[in-house]
Amino acid sequence: MEELKLREKDEFINLIQLLKAMNLVESGAMAKEVIDEGLVKVDGEIESRYRRKLYDGMIVTFNGEQIKVVK
C-alpha cells in the first residue's frame, strides 16, 4: 500500500487531486471518467463524488492500487 502525505497546512485532499498526484490518471478529465465509471473506492465503497474530501487514515482503491492518506 502506498501513502500520500498531506501537506502540513492541509487537513484533506480532494479525490481528483489524489488520483492526479499519485499519477494514477493523466488529467482531471480522466479522473472524472474513472470515478463516473465506478472504478474508484474510498474505504471499500464505490465513490461517485469528484471532490470527495479525503482525510488522514482514509484509503483509496483504484486499478489494483491502494493509497492511504496520512497527515
Side-chain angles (χ1 to χ4, degrees), residues 2-69:
E2 292 188 58
E3 293 184 346
L4 175 96
K5 183 157 175 52
L6 294 172
R7 294 182 298 195
E8 205 166 300
K9 64 178 183 158
D10 293 338
E11 290 296 316
F12 64 88
I13 186 170
N14 289 324
L15 182 56
I16 287 178
Q17 292 172 323
L18 178 136
L19 293 173
K20 290 191 303 185
M22 297 302 291
N23 295 314
L24 297 174
V25 295
E26 294 178 12
S27 66
M30 184 181 270
K32 287 180 180 182
E33 195 174 301
V34 298
I35 293 168
D36 284 342
E37 291 175 10
L39 301 176
V40 181
K41 293 182 179 181
V42 175
D43 290 339
E45 295 187 21
I46 294 173
E47 184 55 62
S48 61
R49 295 171 286 179
Y50 309 135
R51 304 250 180 244
R52 169 73 188 262
K53 293 178 180 177
L54 304 170
Y55 296 92
D56 182 41
M58 296 179 95
I59 297 173
V60 175
T61 306
F62 171 66
N63 201 26
E65 301 277 340
Q66 285 191 324
I67 297 94
K68 183 175 184 178
V69 177

